[in-house]
Amino acid sequence: MTARKTGLLACLFLTLAPLATAKDSCTECHSNMDGTLKAPVTDYVNDIHARHGFSCADCHGGDRNADDPEAAMNPAKGFMGHIARTAVPALCAHCHSDAALMHRFKPQQRVDQLALYLTSVHGKRLATGDTAVANCVDCHSVHNIREVKDPQSPVYPLKLPETCARCHADAAHMAPYKIQTNQFAEYRASVHWEALSKRGDLSAPNCASCHGNHGAAPPQVASVAEVCGACHVLFEEMYNKSPHQPVFAAMGGGGCTVCHGNHGIRKPGIEMLAGGGAVCAPCHDAGSAGGAAAAQMAGLLTKLDTALTQSDAVLNRAHDSGMEVSEPILRQMEGRQAQVKALVAMHEFQVAAVAKPVQEGLAVAAATRRAGEKALQDRDSRRVGLALSLVTILVTMAGLWMAIRSLESKASAVPKPAGR
Amino acid sequence: MEQERRSVIRWLLGGGFAASVASFLYPAVKFINPPDMPEASVNEVSGGKTQDLKPNTGKIVKFGSQPALLVRVNDTEWRAFSAVCRHLNCTVQYNEARRQIWCACHNGFYDLNGKVVSGPPPGPLEEYAVKVRGEEVVISRRS
Amino acid sequence: MASATRPEGLGWLDERLGLSALREFAAHKTVPLHSATVWYYFGGITLFLFTIQVLTGVLLLLYYRPSPTEAYESVQFIMTRVQFGWLVRSIHSWSANLMILTAFIHMFSVVFLHSYRRPREITWLSGLVLLGLALGFGFSGYLLPWNKVSYFATKVGTDMAASVPVVGHQVARFLRGGADVGGATLTRFFGFHVAILPGLTTLLLVVHLGLVQRHGMSSPPWSEGKKLAQMRFFPNFFLRELMAWYAALAVLGSLAALFPWELGEKADPFAPAPAGIRPEWYFLAPFYTLKLIPSHVWQVEGELLGLMGFALLAAWWVLLPFWASNSKGDVRTRWVTGAGVALLAYLVTFSLLGYFR
């Protein structure tokens, strides 16, 4: 610990010390109560506002320095008691929309949350007096508000979907609004949730990533591809150039979601192009140009997948028999990458675009399969070589054995034992 | 009879011994003969000739078993990185307009120091050393 | 003066090299015949396998590169590009393990046949040093392919050396060539494996084999007083030994072709140790014993206690010929046989446990 660090710590402590030891009659009295009157005090220990020296009175009003309950909770001193649900956003915004104030604590923090909230369905309905919609504390919690990056916060990326689902998956709650409640269940079955929860990939989208958080609203029909395109850039570009874009726009349908769904997005596969569950089939008859193109693309992709799987099998057989095939196994990665490129290129909805990467991939699969087959051939010739050398060894051993027998039958008298 | 036996033994022993020694010496002699590709170099790879790459362009080069990205920043400056994206292992490419390294899979961007600029990648790209020897560009692992 | 050169060729050599004395000696060397004569082969087999190691090792030296950036790749090169490289490397790895096995068999056969007794005490001592050198060959050679398994096995092994009191850290530093297992360790182990250990082994082999020739083959104690039939070493026993050596070659070739030695993945010092890491089988018994000892026994660190225990066991075993003889010069055969059985049982049981747990 350098002298400089010690000095800095001392200064920090001195500036905060008055805050830490500042008088707070709210906490003092309410910590001696029980039930709902005590709960906020126990919760508040974990609150980020507490860490910055704020007390109950900073939101609820009143006088934190007065010991007398009447004086402390005096409406003349601004005491509001229980805050009405419709009054919550304005209350939070009192600080959180104040740029100068927020700058003191966290200069990078946005200060437009209220403005965004008022554009959202939640905000608009709350303004009309509907108390069933979400306000700040429904998502961020109250009295134990944690930072978004705190894994225990209800709006931490991994926990956000459950927070939204508290209302949006509750059929009784959503009934008056006639909004479906299957989104959460669908989302939990999706690849995006899998990326978040199983791989811990925090960049994977949750509800807020597509719908926004404070200004939450479903992406409009025109903007679905843009929203997906925030991460899936190439697909957005290809889709916008493709014949589907104007057609879907005219149909009033939602871009990527027409084929992939919105909440329950599964890992896409060749089965989406052809077969029973094909997403092309509802619009394109089998005989039509589009149907034929889909079938061709599916055929090409299947051919590549089969080729790669077969060469994988050969390489695995070679590897399992002890042959060194690490190079072809790595080369196989290029084949799999070509496969990914082909699946991406499919979004141009042109057979030629898919054919090119498929050819590249087939070339790789052919080369790795040849390498695997050569390894298996080498293994077989090793065994032949072994057999040959074993034969020579056995012949020699037979010769030795016979030589011994002949020696010992000739020399019938074993020489006198040497003295020892 | 005795003579026959002895010559059988002699043949078996002599022949077997000679054959077995041959079967040991043959691989040894073949082993000593160096193979056509005498180097197993994975620490240094040629990135081609200097004139093959224009300034502010990049190309993929095989480095050992993984792809590497060679970027010619300007006439005199070269950079090289592992081309395996840290997010989900897609192969990255050079974006000339932004002078940054881009991963097409999920729109991740890295700067010319390999550090993540935006997008999902959780960490930087491993940087390699680039030396220009005359007309040849050589990529090697940094020690 | 002989004029023809071919039949007198031997005479020509004899005049210069004194071969006739050697031939005289060889003609008189005999091997006692009894129920346990078969165990006499194991010393020769161990020597034969050592020769195989030297020959295959020299061949491998033509391509191997002892640096962390090139070692793994050079072994991969040998396995994939060099003609019959796979064969030479697999034989080298299999023969190493077989040699250590036959060395142990040879040692235990000496114990149970009581060949360590007077006047062969120094033969016993030199033999134990040779066993230690063989284990050193195994430990140093194991690191050379620089793969994940060998890197971590070396880490664990040198960590154990560091636990020795007083000199532990110096010894570990000496072994590792620094504070951690790294490039310096690889270079150092390579030096041990191809120069220092072979030099020491050659020296000790000369002593060990010289003494064996000097004292002749020992007969078991129960034959004392009886006149055992003897078999001439040349050519009778030697022809049989050749058969055994050829059989060993057949086994080695089959193992190399049917169960080639794995290359594994290249070592990554920054990656965490793979689960279930354990040393080669010949170190399993002490490894598993140390795992069983609780971390602290009374005030003493468990690992330290274990290592001290092994040191005491080794010292006691080395001194076997001396405590085995009583003041009259007789050998306490029952005690020694019992001790041998106990040690063998411990080694086998704990090796199996270490392998399967």
Side-chain angles (χ1 to χ4, degrees):
Chain A
M1 188 82 117
T2 61
R4 199 171 128 83
K5 273 193 186 156
T6 325
L8 272 171
L9 263 178
C11 288
L12 203 62
F13 194 68
L14 286 171
T15 41
L16 284 181
L19 284 171
T21 55
K23 172 116 179 113
D24 189 354
S25 59
C26 322
T27 323
E28 282 168 21
C29 286
H30 277 270
S31 55
N32 293 321
M33 300 182 187
D34 32 41
T36 52
L37 290 172
K38 180 175 182 181
V41 178
T42 15
D43 285 343
Y44 198 57
V45 172
N46 296 313
D47 196 304
I48 186 161
H49 298 103
R51 229 185 298 150
H52 289 292
F54 291 92
S55 93
C56 323
D58 291 303
C59 288
H60 291 279
D63 184 355
R64 66 194 281 176
N65 294 309
D67 283 313
D68 175 45
E70 295 226 354
M73 300 192 285
N74 189 349
K77 288 272 173 77
F79 183 69
M80 291 182 277
H82 183 86
I83 317 274
R85 282 184 63 80
T86 46
V88 165
L91 177 62
C92 301
H94 184 78
C95 293
H96 280 275
S97 293
D98 184 342
L101 190 144
M102 290 313 296
H103 193 92
R104 275 172 51 200
F105 296 96
K106 215 169 176 187
Q108 298 280 6
Q109 184 87 312
R110 291 174 71 143
V111 288
D112 61 350
Q113 295 93 337
L114 179 66
L116 283 169
Y117 179 70
L118 292 174
T119 69
S120 74
V121 176
H122 298 144
K124 289 189 188 143
R125 292 210 66 92
L126 190 78
T128 65
D130 183 351
T131 54
V133 293
N135 62 18
C136 317
V137 301
D138 291 313
C139 297
H140 289 276
S141 184
V142 65
H143 301 136
N144 63 349
I145 302 174
R146 296 172 191 271
E147 290 181 278
V148 176
K149 62 187 185 211
D150 184 331
Q152 291 184 68
S153 162
V155 293
Y156 182 69
L158 277 175
K159 302 193 96 178
L160 188 108
E162 325 171 353
T163 306
C164 303
R166 253 191 273 137
C167 295
H168 282 275
D170 183 346
H173 191 97
M174 301 308 296
Y177 306 103
K178 299 196 180 44
I179 298 180
Q180 62 196 17
T181 50
N182 58 352
Q183 304 92 331
F184 182 61
E186 284 189 354
Y187 176 73
R188 289 285 276 233
S190 73
V191 276
H192 291 140
W193 173 246
E194 194 189 317
L196 252 183
S197 61
K198 292 219 186 73
R199 281 205 307 271
D201 184 353
L202 291 179
S203 71
N206 55 29
C207 319
S209 317
C210 298
H211 294 283
N213 44 11
H214 300 112
Q220 295 309 303
V221 161
S223 72
V224 167
E226 270 85 34
V227 169
C228 306
C231 295
H232 299 280
V233 178
L234 279 179
F235 297 88
E236 184 201 346
E237 274 174 27
M238 288 182 186
Y239 172 75
N240 285 339
K241 283 193 290 206
S242 80
H244 283 161
Q245 193 268 339
V247 172
F248 286 173
M251 276 166 51
C256 316
T257 63
V258 173
C259 298
H260 289 282
N262 47 8
H263 302 113
I265 302 172
R266 296 284 205 284
K267 195 162 158 59
I270 305 171
E271 67 277 2
M272 288 172 72
L273 277 173
V279 299
C280 317
C283 299
H284 297 280
D285 292 327
S288 68
Q296 269 183 294
M297 287 192 281
L300 282 168
L301 291 167
T302 310
K303 191 166 169 206
L304 178 58
D305 192 55
T306 314
L308 285 169
T309 312
Q310 281 176 345
S311 64
D312 267 341
V314 173
L315 285 174
N316 282 334
R317 274 214 324 271
H319 177 84
D320 287 340
S321 13
M323 302 307 288
E324 231 293 296
V325 284
S326 51
E327 267 193 49
I329 287 180
L330 280 162
R331 178 99 203 275
Q332 194 78 321
M333 268 173 57
E334 284 174 39
R336 293 289 172 191
Q337 288 224 358
Q339 197 176 28
V340 171
K341 268 200 228 160
L343 287 166
V344 170
M346 195 229 80
H347 291 81
E348 287 185 37
F349 304 102
Q350 307 286 347
V351 176
V354 173
K356 190 160 160 297
V358 164
Q359 294 312 323
E360 282 171 26
L362 285 172
V364 172
T368 55
R369 191 198 172 120
R370 270 198 305 274
E373 279 166 355
K374 179 167 181 300
L376 286 171
Q377 270 171 5
D378 283 345
R379 178 201 60 176
D380 292 336
S381 44
R382 281 187 198 183
R383 293 188 178 173
V384 168
L386 171 69
L388 284 172
S389 70
L390 281 179
V391 163
T392 66
I393 287 174
L394 286 169
V395 165
T396 314
M397 283 173 77
L400 283 166
W401 171 240
M402 288 182 72
I404 291 169
R405 284 251 316 257
S406 131
L407 254 180
E408 267 148 37
S409 67
K410 242 195 313 178
S412 51
V414 176
K416 301 246 177 335
R420 200 21 106 200
Chain B
M1 264 293 269
E2 204 36 59
Q3 288 287 55
E4 261 180 43
R5 243 193 99 126
R6 280 218 281 191
S7 66
V8 165
I9 293 175
R10 198 173 296 155
W11 270 108
L12 271 181
L13 199 47
F17 185 71
S20 61
V21 167
S23 81
F24 307 148
L25 283 181
Y26 175 74
V29 169
K30 283 271 178 173
F31 181 91
I32 293 176
N33 192 28
D36 286 326
M37 192 189 83
E39 286 289 312
S41 85
V42 238
N43 305 300
E44 232 182 52
V45 140
S46 168
K49 298 247 176 296
T50 53
Q51 49 261 52
D52 289 342
L53 205 58
K54 288 200 269 296
N56 194 28
T57 52
K59 73 170 180 184
I60 295 288
V61 173
K62 194 156 155 35
F63 190 70
S65 52
Q66 301 283 334
L69 177 69
L70 175 67
V71 178
R72 184 174 194 174
V73 181
N74 54 39
D75 281 329
T76 51
E77 219 185 314
W78 299 75
R79 297 272 166 91
F81 303 92
S82 161
V84 180
C85 183
R86 296 288 302 273
H87 179 221
L88 291 175
N89 298 333
C90 293
T91 303
V92 301
Q93 52 193 283
Y94 183 62
N95 183 312
E96 292 151 19
R98 286 170 67 145
R99 302 187 83 93
Q100 287 178 337
I101 298 167
W102 177 54
C103 183
C105 287
H106 298 93
N107 211 23
F109 278 94
Y110 303 85
D111 65 15
L112 282 170
N113 291 314
K115 305 265 179 330
V116 181
V117 168
S118 71
L125 293 173
E126 185 188 347
E127 189 169 358
Y128 298 140
V130 186
K131 282 189 279 277
V132 176
R133 293 194 192 133
E135 286 205 347
E136 214 197 327
V137 184
V138 176
I139 305 170
S140 62
R141 249 175 243 282
R142 280 157 134 210
S143 48
Chain C
M1 193 68 167
S3 48
T5 45
R6 265 196 71 185
E8 312 298 280
L10 276 171
W12 187 91
L13 281 174
D14 183 35
E15 199 186 329
R16 286 145 187 80
L17 300 176
L19 289 177
S20 55
L22 219 69
R23 291 180 75 193
E24 267 298 297
F25 174 78
H28 283 109
K29 186 173 157 75
T30 63
V31 175
L33 289 172
H34 52 81
S35 54
T37 300
V38 69
W39 298 102
Y40 288 137
Y41 288 107
F42 281 90
I45 294 179
T46 312
L47 178 66
F48 177 65
L49 291 175
F50 179 69
T51 312
I52 301 267
Q53 286 306 88
V54 172
L55 293 172
T56 52
V58 165
L59 287 174
L60 289 171
L61 258 182
L62 295 178
Y63 294 101
Y64 176 75
R65 296 187 186 185
S67 93
T69 45
E70 295 182 285
Y72 179 84
E73 286 78 9
S74 65
V75 177
Q76 189 174 40
F77 185 70
I78 292 171
M79 298 284 284
T80 53
R81 292 281 148 90
V82 178
Q83 292 185 71
F84 292 103
W86 60 271
L87 182 67
V88 175
R89 195 240 166 169
S90 282
I91 287 187
H92 194 79
S93 305
W94 274 114
S95 174
N97 283 273
L98 282 180
M99 184 184 88
I100 293 185
L101 177 68
T102 57
F104 270 104
I105 294 175
H106 177 56
M107 179 184 79
F108 277 108
S109 68
V110 163
V111 169
F112 295 129
L113 286 175
H114 306 283
S115 313
Y116 53 80
R117 66 195 197 280
R118 182 171 168 261
R120 294 180 175 81
E121 296 95 331
I122 300 185
T123 321
W124 168 262
L125 290 174
S126 58
L128 278 186
V129 177
L130 280 167
L131 181 64
L133 290 173
L135 293 173
F137 268 114
F139 187 61
S140 57
Y142 199 57
L143 179 66
L144 299 184
W146 199 249
N147 56 22
K148 283 207 163 96
V149 184
S150 62
Y151 176 82
F152 285 107
T154 309
K155 248 176 101 78
V156 171
T158 49
D159 275 343
M160 288 210 292
S163 319
V164 170
V166 186
V167 292
H169 282 284
Q170 295 290 76
V171 170
R173 233 187 114 78
F174 164 72
L175 287 175
R176 289 181 182 154
D180 286 309
V181 173
T185 319
L186 184 60
T187 311
R188 196 162 273 240
F189 272 32
F190 181 69
F192 291 151
H193 194 79
V194 307
I196 299 178
L197 288 173
L200 290 172
T201 306
T202 309
L203 207 67
L204 272 141
L205 269 177
V206 167
V207 171
H208 193 78
L209 293 173
L211 285 171
V212 167
Q213 304 318 311
R214 171 164 162 59
H215 294 297
M217 306 299 281
S218 97
S219 301
W222 64 79
S223 69
E224 250 152 46
K226 304 191 201 128
K227 242 338 185 240
L228 281 178
Q230 301 280 329
M231 179 196 285
R232 291 219 308 258
F233 190 84
F234 287 105
N236 304 59
F237 191 80
F238 185 66
L239 284 176
R240 288 175 168 81
E241 241 194 333
L242 272 182
M243 280 184 76
W245 293 2
Y246 263 77
L249 278 175
V251 167
L252 270 178
S254 309
L255 286 170
L258 298 171
F259 305 104
W261 205 264
E262 236 196 10
L263 180 59
E265 283 171 41
K266 184 167 177 170
D268 179 1
F270 297 111
I277 193 91
R278 54 167 191 240
E280 273 292 80
W281 64 270
Y282 38 88
F283 290 126
L284 274 178
F287 174 73
Y288 191 71
T289 313
L290 285 175
K291 262 174 76 166
L292 283 184
I293 299 178
S295 66
H296 278 89
V297 181
W298 305 301
Q299 295 285 337
V300 190
E301 217 183 274
E303 206 175 80
L304 184 59
L305 206 65
L307 288 173
M308 275 166 37
F310 294 142
L312 285 172
L313 179 67
W316 170 71
W317 195 246
V318 164
L319 297 171
L320 176 75
F322 305 104
W323 59 257
S325 313
N326 61 17
S327 46
K328 275 199 287 177
D330 291 328
V331 168
R332 304 182 173 101
T333 52
R334 285 232 172 81
W335 279 101
V336 174
T337 307
V341 169
L343 182 63
L344 186 60
Y346 160 68
L347 287 175
V348 170
T349 315
F350 276 67
S351 301
L352 286 171
L353 283 173
Y355 188 77
F356 289 111
R357 292 290 180 96

